[in-house]
Amino acid sequence: MEMFKVHSVKAAREKLVENFKDFKCEVEEIEILEAEGRLLGEDIHSKLNVPHFRRSTVDGYAVISKDTYGASESLPMFLEVLGEVEMGKAANMKITTDKAVYVPTGGMIPEGADAVVMVEYVEKLDSTNITISRPAVSKENIIDVGDDIRENQKVLSKGVRLRPHDIGVLSSIGVDKVNVFKMPSISIISTGDEVIDPKEELQLGKIKDINTYTLSAMAKEIGLNIVERRVVKDNKELLKNTLKECIEKSDMVMLSGGSSVGTKDITTIVINEMGEPGVFVHGVAMKPGKPTILAKAHNKPLFGLPGQPASAMIAFKVFVEYFIKNIFNLDEYEDRFIEASMTTNIHSAPGKETYQMVYLEREDGEYKAHPVYGKSGMITLMSKAKGYIKIDEDKEGIKEGEKVRVNLF
């Protein structure tokens, strides 16, 4: 029986990146209203200034700031009102010494004015005269041309995940369509004679399919397009034909089960028959998830994850999700995590990266992380866990009360 040649998580990731350093994703042009959550496929530079005219940030009177110097409640300054600016229209008046024009919030600043005095500091004497009880400084309550965004300025970088406020930025500079990355397509295969569809009648010795559903949801959550989802019996020719078909129709393939060194675990053999280089990692120094497979065939990544659901989830986060984030150079803000205090001591496996599932409680304004214990095949591990913590291979464990980073599912 062939045993694992175990790689560290770091070394396995390096091999993954090296084998797919030329992996590229196409882009497609879509309307910005459809782009929320998509990854930007190009740098966006503004073709105009925002704002493209001087605007008031308050309701008030546009003035020449020098005309207000020394103004106070006991000694106000008197100014003549030339009129008012209407929203959405150009200010066609010019302000000269001792003159003022009323401007609403967002309205255009008339030529000659360099400040706006808020209405709170103005008293109307009649339809054409006001007093000002507070001095204004140059550019007070004014946004100048290009103060927000300058023409030719880069406003969004390639690879950023577009959020609602990014859509607003795009609309503000007149962009109605953007190029976004087409996310890779993936096929998901679960192996095992014991695995049946949830709709099938349960018999002794059989288990309902969990992994294709769980892994499909996780893949969808990070943006992958699922083109195929199959449950395959432990039959070499059947698995080989299914894998070949999935490789042809998708950019990536993920298999769960059949990755250990048992007599019926044929995943490695089948993958190696798909083409060079085949399996380049089989066995990772991590707990759970040691039998993880990383492979390449027809220039496409193949991931062999453990059959135990909790282990498969961890292996997905550590390698599949990592791979996608590496392709697009996603920043750390993409990671969803919470800082918490550990409620008990946690021991780790010597020489392995240990991943411990936890659930969270909030006490006295602080999150507490509680370990979820159980064998890796237990469904309660998945239902109770809100995330997991990572213990580095050179660390003996986590002490009670120690601050930890909980990576959220």
Side-chain angles (χ1 to χ4, degrees), residues 335-342 356-360 367-370 385-390 403-409:
D335 295 330
R336 297 167 57 244
F337 66 90
I338 285 176
E339 298 287 344
S341 296
M342 205 68 222
Q356 173 65 54
M357 288 190 172
V358 299
Y359 69 91
L360 295 166
Y367 281 105
K368 303 288 187 179
H370 302 263
K386 299 300 181 184
Y388 63 92
I389 62 170
K390 183 186 79 169
K403 292 287 186 181
V404 294
R405 169 172 163 156
V406 179
N407 298 282
L408 301 176
F409 285 128

Side-chain angles (χ1 to χ4, degrees), residues 108-315:
M108 183 175 179
I109 303 297
E111 183 183 350
D114 69 340
V116 175
V117 179
M118 295 175 64
V119 292
E120 287 85 344
Y121 305 112
V122 176
E123 181 179 351
K124 292 184 69 174
L125 300 178
D126 52 42
S127 60
T128 58
N129 292 281
I130 58 172
T131 61
I132 293 176
S133 59
R134 181 181 179 278
V137 297
S138 180
K139 296 191 176 183
E140 184 174 355
N141 299 321
I142 288 179
I143 298 180
D144 268 331
V145 173
D147 265 359
D148 196 353
I149 299 173
R150 289 284 182 184
E151 185 179 359
N152 297 321
Q153 176 184 337
K154 185 168 77 170
V155 294
L156 291 171
S157 298
K158 179 180 178 180
V160 70
R161 190 179 300 279
L162 293 170
R163 296 159 292 175
H165 55 274
D166 296 322
I167 304 301
V169 169
L170 292 171
S171 66
S172 75
I173 60 175
V175 174
D176 61 344
K177 294 181 180 180
V178 289
N179 286 321
V180 296
F181 283 110
K182 289 183 178 179
M183 293 300 289
S185 59
I186 189 168
S187 291
I188 300 170
I189 302 171
S190 186
T191 64
D193 290 335
E194 75 282 12
V195 181
I196 62 172
D197 190 270
K199 297 177 183 177
E200 294 183 48
E201 183 178 349
L202 189 61
Q203 301 174 3
L204 288 177
K206 302 294 185 182
I207 61 171
K208 299 284 189 178
D209 175 27
I210 298 171
N211 284 1
T212 58
Y213 285 86
T214 303
L215 296 173
S216 292
M218 294 180 78
K220 185 176 179 181
E221 187 176 45
I222 62 173
L224 296 175
N225 297 314
I226 301 163
V227 296
E228 194 69 57
R229 186 169 54 83
R230 298 273 193 92
V231 175
V232 180
K233 302 302 181 184
D234 286 322
N235 177 284
K236 180 183 175 183
E237 287 305 312
L238 182 58
L239 179 58
K240 183 176 180 179
N241 292 334
T242 302
L243 180 55
K244 182 179 179 182
E245 182 182 337
C246 289
I247 289 174
E248 290 174 351
K249 65 168 60 174
S250 55
D251 299 315
M252 303 164 54
V253 180
M254 182 164 51
L255 306 94
S256 69
S259 60
S260 69
V261 292
T263 56
K264 291 192 71 176
D265 293 331
I266 56 176
T267 303
T268 304
I269 298 171
V270 170
I271 289 176
N272 282 330
E273 291 181 1
M274 291 294 106
E276 297 293 335
V279 174
F280 54 82
V281 169
H282 187 194
V284 182
M286 58 185 287
K287 181 182 179 181
K290 180 180 177 180
T292 297
I293 293 170
L294 304 178
K296 180 179 183 180
H298 299 276
N299 292 318
K300 297 182 179 181
L302 312 180
F303 298 91
L305 310 185
Q308 300 285 18
S311 300
M313 290 176 67
I314 293 295

Side-chain angles (χ1 to χ4, degrees), residues 287-358:
K287 181 182 179 181
K290 180 180 177 180
T292 297
I293 293 170
L294 304 178
K296 180 179 183 180
H298 299 276
N299 292 318
K300 297 182 179 181
L302 312 180
F303 298 91
L305 310 185
Q308 300 285 18
S311 300
M313 290 176 67
I314 293 295
F316 178 95
K317 299 289 285 187
V318 174
F319 291 108
V320 182
E321 187 171 299
Y322 170 82
F323 176 70
I324 295 302
K325 290 180 177 180
N326 182 268
I327 291 172
F328 299 110
N329 296 312
L330 297 183
D331 294 330
E332 192 171 337
Y333 81 82
E334 289 284 327
D335 295 330
R336 297 167 57 244
F337 66 90
I338 285 176
E339 298 287 344
S341 296
M342 205 68 222
T343 59
T344 186
N345 293 335
I346 301 291
H347 299 288
S348 62
K352 297 180 181 179
E353 280 194 12
T354 301
Y355 297 83
Q356 173 65 54
M357 288 190 172
V358 299

